[in-house]
Amino acid sequence: QVQLVESGGGLVQTGGSLRLSCAASGRTYSASSMGWFRQAPGKEREFVSAINWSGGATLYADSVKGRFTISRDNSNDTVNLQMNSLQPEDTAVYYCAVLKTWLPAQGLYWGKGTLVTVSS
């Protein structure tokens, strides 16, 4: 089993940046594809970004492409999401996940999430 703990959320103004981190523990982490998902108030959870085990392949939702960058550091068991040019519609709870499928990206293990609020 993998345990995931997200951090880095907070309140930011429109156009600002935040960097989310996900600390993973468990022996399967380094061999797993990882992803970020988000859930806005009153909406279903949606895919944001994914990265394969080596970091050599990435996926992005169209809504964040060009603004968000996913990365991982297998030596520190972390996955990061750099979020730039944030917009009010990016407001959501962001979840880190170990993926069970790549396309479509589906989570297998989940963190508890970190809240991102973008003020207009």
Side-chain angles (χ1 to χ4, degrees):
Q1 183 120 7
V2 177
Q3 293 183 330
L4 306 170
V5 179
E6 302 94 337
S7 62
L11 175 64
V12 64
Q13 292 184 334
T14 296
S17 298
L18 282 175
R19 183 177 177 85
L20 305 184
S21 292
C22 173
S25 61
R27 61 185 179 89
T28 62
Y29 162 78
S30 61
S32 301
S33 294
M34 303 291 295
W36 286 95
F37 297 76
R38 67 187 182 187
Q39 186 167 19
K43 296 187 177 182
E44 294 186 353
R45 188 178 297 182
E46 65 175 3
F47 168 74
V48 175
S49 183
I51 189 166
N52 75 336
W53 69 273
S54 69
T58 57
L59 295 172
Y60 295 95
D62 288 342
S63 59
V64 307
K65 204 170 291 184
R67 301 188 297 124
F68 291 11
T69 303
I70 192 171
S71 62
R72 69 188 296 164
D73 182 351
N74 288 345
S75 65
N76 289 322
D77 293 342
T78 57
V79 179
N80 302 304
L81 186 68
Q82 177 67 42
M83 306 187 297
N84 298 328
S85 301
L86 284 162
Q87 303 298 314
E89 52 266 35
D90 295 317
T91 295
V93 177
Y94 284 71
Y95 298 90
C96 175
V98 173
L99 299 185
K100 62 179 178 180
T101 61
W102 181 249
L103 286 172
Q106 293 182 325
L108 177 62
Y109 301 116
W110 298 88
K112 293 185 178 180
T114 185
L115 176 62
V116 171
T117 304
V118 184
S119 63
S120 57

